[in-house]
Amino acid sequence: MAGTLNVVVICGSLRRSSYNAALARALPGLAPAGLKLTAAPPFDIMPHYNADVQAGSGFPASVTGFADAIRAADGVVIVSPEYNWSIPGVLKNAIDWVSRMKDQPFLNKPVALQSCATGPLGGARMQYHLRQSLTSIDALLFGRPEVLVSFSAQKFDEKTLELKDQPTIDIVKQQLAAFETFIRRVSAK
Ligand SMILES: Cc1cc2nc3c(=O)[nH]c(=O)nc-3n(C[C@H](O)[C@H](O)[C@H](O)COP(=O)(O)O)c2cc1C
């Protein structure tokens, strides 16, 4: 096997007791030896996208730092809730900002998706919208297995927020192992 692959993890929830953030924290412990997972720089500090700001003072430091981390990574995992059947605004804002960059960081970048939702669909509609947006900027979307954590409140420890649901643990492990294979295939690493 070639060297370790660096994967950046982006979490779409800012909530302190977020299930998505809890899942994101669990990922390093569930990843195969060939993947090193690190959290993306914060993106909630980015201003709302405005072409006038971009044309005037250029890309804010929060945007360039976030983009640099994605560019330097071999792959990206996005773990996000679904808001009103779609992508949380703060995450979409970050995608919109970096999508305007010359050296667009998602170009040919392998991306895997995960979502936690308290309802029965597990964030599926958000994932389909994310697939659309990221395909529009030429990211390489990993397919299956999908990680859709439905009824999230039952899958994490109420106090510690530790992921305790074995079928969820299994599917996350399977996805990360398959994502490693996918990255090596599409980027010949
Ligand atoms: C603004 C808002 C919109 C939501 N819309 C949806 C939705 O469309 N589908 C869904 O399954 N859950 C929806 N929920 C419920 C989330 O699944 C739930 O709040 C979840 O815990 C959010 O993820 P987090 O724990 O990582 O913050 C919504 C929650 C909020 C705050």
Side-chain angles (χ1 to χ4, degrees):
M1 189 183 73
T4 303
L5 299 173
N6 290 307
V7 170
V8 160
V9 180
I10 297 171
C11 177
S13 175
L14 308 178
R15 200 168 71 86
R16 208 176 310 118
S17 301
S18 157
Y19 298 118
N20 286 279
L23 177 57
R25 284 195 299 274
L27 296 185
L30 304 176
L35 289 191
K36 182 169 177 271
L37 303 183
T38 46
F43 54 90
D44 56 313
I45 50 177
M46 293 179 191
H48 292 152
Y49 178 76
N50 182 338
D52 293 339
V53 173
Q54 182 193 333
S57 47
F59 290 98
S62 54
V63 175
T64 54
F66 182 75
D68 286 347
I70 295 169
R71 258 184 229 112
D74 298 302
V76 175
V77 176
I78 300 180
V79 191
S80 177
E82 173 176 290
Y83 281 175
N84 302 311
W85 295 14
S86 193
I87 306 164
V90 67
L91 174 59
K92 183 62 163 50
N93 186 53
I95 293 170
D96 291 342
W97 265 115
V98 300
S99 74
R100 308 314 292 172
M101 299 182 112
K102 230 180 181 171
D103 187 8
Q104 196 267 102
F106 279 106
L107 174 67
N108 294 330
K109 190 66 63 180
V111 180
L113 307 179
Q114 302 182 355
S115 51
C116 298
T118 47
L121 296 185
R125 293 161 295 206
M126 181 283 304
Q127 289 205 15
Y128 297 144
H129 285 186
L130 211 39
R131 279 182 188 279
Q132 276 185 341
S133 274
L134 293 172
T135 299
S136 86
I137 55 172
D138 298 312
L140 302 177
L141 273 297
F142 172 80
R144 291 187 300 164
E146 296 171 296
V147 172
L148 299 150
V149 186
S150 56
F151 302 117
S152 295
Q154 298 164 27
K155 313 277 169 73
F156 294 84
D157 184 273
E158 209 179 318
K159 289 202 175 80
T160 64
L161 284 176
E162 195 187 330
L163 179 60
K164 61 175 189 183
D165 182 66
Q166 195 57 46
T168 304
I169 290 169
D170 293 344
I171 197 77
V172 169
K173 280 185 174 171
Q174 285 167 30
Q175 192 207 53
L176 292 176
F179 188 46
E180 178 184 356
T181 305
F182 177 79
I183 297 174
R184 294 196 190 280
R185 180 160 54 81
V186 298
S187 52
K189 290 203 169 169

